[in-house]
């Protein structure tokens, strides 16, 4: 960085300084100059995909897998608006993304005509992003541009939510002043600080209640993962010796082969063993879990407030009182320093799968598919599992990921289309091979982005569960033809796009295809055919529970 710089070069230098290596984007005339600066030599590794939603999901998957900020660059209007859904998902699920958009030059705006890609007003896109980010700013002043960038990025990091910067095309080559503090800054971003006194008291209060409890359990939420606390939480849990559950959104944030791991808590539709243990708990210590309908299985919380301690969003709620300005990092680290009673409960892992009872020649069903995936992961643990909205979002909760494996899903925002591009981004950032479980309907949204994999040397394994449509709704829809999607020749397409393709109809053939995939040097697509009315155990429970409460009526 230098005291005065061209804005475009400053952005590249700034992003490099904070450790960003990749930029995901699609160019357009209103962003081309900026885009080309990023792609210049000594710039960033530019990753382009076919469609902005794919780009956004890839940046999100990259950020989830690496814990770094995912950066996207889009053109104004058509590009920016196409990016809205992935960014909304990143906002909901606390993923740090920085969106850079182009825009029309000053003199174009002065023409008084409408400008191509414009929707309502020139400022409309900025306003849309103000709604979807923790900070959204237009860089239109050379005197303050550098500080504005820094402010937005610091917010993104502190809040682990998306931010937005709009750079109109006549600004890219303007010279800006870079303040001394930024020139001397080491590039380290910091999380929010807590109030020490509040932390101390929240920790004391928590420890006293915890030490008095006889049957406590710990719930590990997504904030612990986003704020890089996985190790601390593991050590803390080991000191406590209590069972540990994760939520739908935080699955994978605690190693599933850990002896204290109980399973995924999905509220009322949890595996019976999890449900029983949570019901018996006289204290639930909730570390960083947001309260969502998905995590609670669409029912009110099982554990009443007087039996819970809930640390999330910079606050710790102990029974009916609240400590403010207590960040999850300081809270967890504070707990690690105090004396906590050690429980020696023997914990058993629970999932929702009936015992494997399939023969290799049996027609493939979802339960057998999950057993085969678990078998594969047991033999090949170094994978990141990515599950896609639809039955696989619920089915995936029964995939057991151990210490080496990661697990990524939009467990709350649940947008279809995340799976394949999210996996590409995750693999680019993390290096481990991704294993994607994706429905046929969802694959038809963004799955063709898999054609980009060979260009980037990526070789995920994508299992497309072909049940002939949007079948998660089948139990509650009478006119089932409304759920049909066309039959694509998935395996053939995969071959045409430079990968390997298989179509399997039996459990044995799936096993063989997965084993073949393990050896493959390209990406692999396995079309796994299952009956139209076959759903995973969790989806069945979810639909039954929702139907009982009148949310899903048969229509
Ligand atoms: C972007 C988006 N559009 C619509 C939905 C609603 N939705 C949830 S699951 C689903 C069907 C998914 O179909 P498929 O991928 O084949 O999975 P299946 O239900 O068959 O398991 C739909 C349409 C959604 N979650 N996201
Ligand atoms: Mg389907």
């Amino acid at each position: 960085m230098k005291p005065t710089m061209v804005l475009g070069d400053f952005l590249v230098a700034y992003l490099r300084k904070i450790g960003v290596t990749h930029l995901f984007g699609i160019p357009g005339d209103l962003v081309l100059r900026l885009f080309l600066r990023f792609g210049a030599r000594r710039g960033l590794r530019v990753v382009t995909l076919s469609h902005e939603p794919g780009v956004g999901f890839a940046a999100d998957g990259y950020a989830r897998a690496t814990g770094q900020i995912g950066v996207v660059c889009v053109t104004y209007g058509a590009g920016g608006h196409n990016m809205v859904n992935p960014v909304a998902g990143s906002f909901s699920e606390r993923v740090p993304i920085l969106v850079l958009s182009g825009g029309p030059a000053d003199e174009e705006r002065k023409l008084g005509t409408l400008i191509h890609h414009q929707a309502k007003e020139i400022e409309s896109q900025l306003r849309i992003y103000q709604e979807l980010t923790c900070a959204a700013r237009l860089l239109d002043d050379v005197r303050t541009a550098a500080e504005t960038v820094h402010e937005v990025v610091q917010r993104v990091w502190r809040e682990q939510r998306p931010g937005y910067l709009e750079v109109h095309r006549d600004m890219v080559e303007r010279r800006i002043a870079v303040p001394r503090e930024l020139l001397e800054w080491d590039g380290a971003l910091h999380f929010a600080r807590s109030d020490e006194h509040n932390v101390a008291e929240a920790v004391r209060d928590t420890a006293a209640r915890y030490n008095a409890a006889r049957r406590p359990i710990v719930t590990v939420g997504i904030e612990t993962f986003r704020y890089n606390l996985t190790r601390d939480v593991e050590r803390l849990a080991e000191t406590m010796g209590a069972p540990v559950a994760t939520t739908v959104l935080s699955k994978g944030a605690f190693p599933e082969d850990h002896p204290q791991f109980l399973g995924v808590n999905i509220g009322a539709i949890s595996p019976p063993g999890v449900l029983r243990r949570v019901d018996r708990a006289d204290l639930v210590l909730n570390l960083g879990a947001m309260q969502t309908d998905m995590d609670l299985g669409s029912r009110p919380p099982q554990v009443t407030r007087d039996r819970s301690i809930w640390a999330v969003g910079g606050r710790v709620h102990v029974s009916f009182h609240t400590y403010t300005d207590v960040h999850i990092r300081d809270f967890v680290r504070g707990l690690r320093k105090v004396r906590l009673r050690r429980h020696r409960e023997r914990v058993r892992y629970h999932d929702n799968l009936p015992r494997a009872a399939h023969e290799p020649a049996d027609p493939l069903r979802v339960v057998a598919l999950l057993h085969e995936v678990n078998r594969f992961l047991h033999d090949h643990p170094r994978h990141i599992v990515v599950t896609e909205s639809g039955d696989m979002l619920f089915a995936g909760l029964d995939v057991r990921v151990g210490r080496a494996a990661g697990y990524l899903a939009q467990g709350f925002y649940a947008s279809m289309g995340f799976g394949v591009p999210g996996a590409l981004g995750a693999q680019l950032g993390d290096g481990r091979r991704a294993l994607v479980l994706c429905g046929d309907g969802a694959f038809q949204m963004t799955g063709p982005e898999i054609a980009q994999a060979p260009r980037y040397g990526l070789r995920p394994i994508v299992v497309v569960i072909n049940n002939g449509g949007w079948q998660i709704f089948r139990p509650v829809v009478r006119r089932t033809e409304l759920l049909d999607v066309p039959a694509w020749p998935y395996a053939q397409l995969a071959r045409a796009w430079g990968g390997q393709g298989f179509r399997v109809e039996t459990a044995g053939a799936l096993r063989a295809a997965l084993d073949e995939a393990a050896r493959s040097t390209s990406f692999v697509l396995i079309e796994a055919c299952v009956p139209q009315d076959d759903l995973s155990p969790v989806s069945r429970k979810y639909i039954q529970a929702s139907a009982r409460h009148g949310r899903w009526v048969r229509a």
Side-chain angles (χ1 to χ4, degrees):
M1 272 187 206
K2 301 193 199 94
T4 59
M5 289 178 89
V6 165
L7 175 58
D9 291 342
F10 168 76
L11 281 165
V12 176
Y14 182 92
L15 293 174
R16 286 178 56 118
K17 193 159 186 168
I18 62 168
V20 171
T21 49
H22 292 74
L23 175 123
F24 299 83
I26 294 183
D29 63 339
L30 297 181
V31 77
L32 197 57
R33 287 185 212 161
L34 182 61
F35 185 85
L36 294 177
R37 295 258 164 192
F38 289 125
R41 244 187 306 147
R42 293 160 53 88
L44 300 168
R45 256 196 84 185
V46 172
V47 180
T48 60
L49 300 181
S50 312
H51 194 199
E52 282 86 357
V55 172
F57 289 133
D60 176 297
Y62 171 90
R64 284 177 201 245
T66 59
Q68 308 259 9
I69 294 179
V71 182
V72 300
C73 181
V74 289
T75 195
Y76 174 80
H81 295 150
N82 246 343
M83 185 58 68
V84 162
N85 181 48
V87 173
S90 307
F91 187 90
S92 290
E93 301 201 346
R94 313 289 306 269
V95 185
I97 294 293
L98 180 66
V99 181
L100 296 156
S101 171
D106 217 13
E107 56 192 52
E108 291 169 276
R109 277 174 285 155
K110 285 190 190 129
L111 284 177
T113 61
L114 293 170
I115 296 168
H116 65 289
H117 298 330
Q118 175 179 348
K120 190 174 174 188
E121 286 160 38
I122 293 294
E123 299 75 26
S124 298
Q125 180 170 313
L126 178 64
R127 281 193 221 118
I128 291 169
Y129 276 94
Q130 275 163 350
E131 204 51 43
L132 298 173
T133 58
C134 64
R137 301 285 292 276
L138 172 66
L139 295 183
D140 59 351
D141 185 341
V142 288
R143 289 164 304 178
T144 55
E147 278 135 313
T148 306
V149 171
H150 193 42
E151 267 166 40
V152 169
V153 171
Q154 283 178 306
R155 290 272 303 267
V156 167
W157 189 247
R158 271 203 305 272
E159 298 188 27
Q160 295 284 297
R161 296 226 197 247
Y164 173 82
L165 292 169
E166 193 168 303
V167 188
H168 291 178
R169 62 170 154 182
D170 53 344
M171 284 295 292
V172 177
E173 271 117 33
R174 297 279 297 277
R175 293 213 152 257
I176 65 159
V178 181
R180 262 259 303 278
E181 305 88 81
L182 272 183
L183 294 170
E184 289 166 3
W185 173 57
D186 63 359
L189 294 166
H190 299 285
F191 293 128
R193 290 256 167 78
S194 308
D195 179 300
E196 281 171 48
H197 300 289
N198 296 8
V199 175
E201 195 130 324
V203 167
R204 255 199 311 275
D205 197 352
T206 302
R209 280 166 199 264
Y210 179 82
N211 289 339
R214 303 170 68 90
R215 295 179 306 278
I217 67 162
V218 179
T219 300
V220 171
I222 197 64
E223 275 193 0
T224 64
F225 188 68
R226 299 280 187 265
Y227 288 106
N228 204 3
L229 280 169
T230 308
R231 282 266 149 71
D232 291 273
V233 166
E234 219 179 304
R235 295 291 101 78
L236 176 66
E238 281 159 10
T239 312
M240 293 175 153
V244 178
T246 51
T247 67
V248 177
L249 183 54
S250 68
K251 180 180 165 73
F254 192 80
E256 298 196 337
D257 57 0
H258 193 284
Q260 282 167 252
F261 186 59
L262 180 66
V264 181
N265 183 0
I266 333 166
I269 58 165
S270 298
V274 173
L275 199 59
R276 275 196 304 275
R277 185 57 189 83
V278 177
D279 278 340
R280 279 182 53 232
D282 57 353
L283 184 79
V284 176
L285 175 59
N286 211 309
L287 300 173
M290 305 193 281
Q291 260 199 8
T292 75
D293 61 345
M294 281 293 247
D295 285 339
L296 296 169
S298 281
R299 301 290 299 130
Q302 254 162 296
V303 177
T304 50
R305 250 185 99 166
D306 57 318
R307 288 189 292 140
S308 69
I309 296 169
W310 205 302
V312 74
R315 286 160 187 249
V316 177
H317 309 276
V318 179
S319 184
F320 291 99
H321 55 275
T322 297
Y323 297 92
T324 54
D325 284 331
V326 182
H327 194 271
I328 187 82
R329 280 171 70 85
D330 299 314
F331 183 59
V332 167
R333 290 184 171 166
L335 283 174
R336 285 199 61 197
K337 289 194 201 123
V338 293
R339 242 186 59 76
L340 295 171
R341 178 171 159 185
R342 188 183 170 99
H343 293 261
R344 293 184 194 278
E345 183 170 332
R346 284 196 48 185
V347 183
R348 209 161 68 80
Y349 165 77
H350 299 273
D351 62 20
N352 304 276
L353 286 179
R355 214 179 284 261
H358 58 277
E359 297 293 330
D362 288 348
L364 186 62
R365 299 187 63 92
V366 173
V367 165
L369 179 139
L370 293 171
H371 279 297
E372 289 301 330
V373 167
N374 279 335
R375 177 186 169 276
F376 176 81
L377 288 172
H378 183 266
D379 295 344
H380 307 278
R382 274 187 57 79
H383 282 80
I384 305 177
V385 178
V386 183
T387 61
E388 173 65 291
S389 188
D391 184 31
M392 285 303 121
L393 197 63
F394 294 112
L397 299 175
D398 289 330
V399 169
R400 193 166 185 189
V401 288
R403 199 163 299 258
Y407 186 89
L408 301 180
Q410 270 199 346
F412 165 58
Y413 186 73
S415 175
M416 286 164 78
F418 172 76
V420 168
L424 294 177
Q427 198 178 328
L428 262 175
D430 177 283
R432 280 179 294 169
R433 197 173 193 192
L435 172 68
V436 188
L437 300 178
C438 175
D440 50 343
F443 186 87
Q444 294 192 9
M445 282 198 182
T446 56
E449 297 283 15
I450 194 68
Q452 306 278 355
R455 295 170 63 199
Y456 298 105
L458 300 172
R459 46 183 207 110
I461 303 171
V462 182
V463 183
V464 178
I465 290 77
N466 186 356
N467 54 13
W470 301 318
Q471 304 299 359
I472 192 156
F473 304 120
R474 196 175 182 93
V476 289
V477 169
R478 248 187 277 269
R479 287 191 53 203
T480 53
E481 69 278 13
L482 294 177
L483 304 176
D484 289 349
V485 303
W488 283 14
Y490 299 98
Q492 259 169 276
L493 288 169
R495 284 177 222 128
W497 290 333
Q500 260 187 297
F502 301 96
R503 180 169 199 272
V504 301
E505 294 182 349
T506 63
L510 174 62
R511 183 179 291 193
L514 283 168
D515 287 344
E516 190 66 33
R519 290 189 289 271
S520 170
T521 53
S522 68
F523 81 81
V524 176
L525 186 152
I526 303 173
E527 176 189 357
C529 303
V530 300
Q532 286 194 310
D533 59 354
D534 187 23
L535 288 174
S536 66
V538 187
S539 288
R540 283 185 202 282
K541 283 200 276 183
Y542 184 80
I543 291 164
Q544 277 159 10
S546 303
R548 262 202 305 280
H549 299 104
R551 278 188 210 109
W552 288 31
V553 278
R554 213 178 143 87

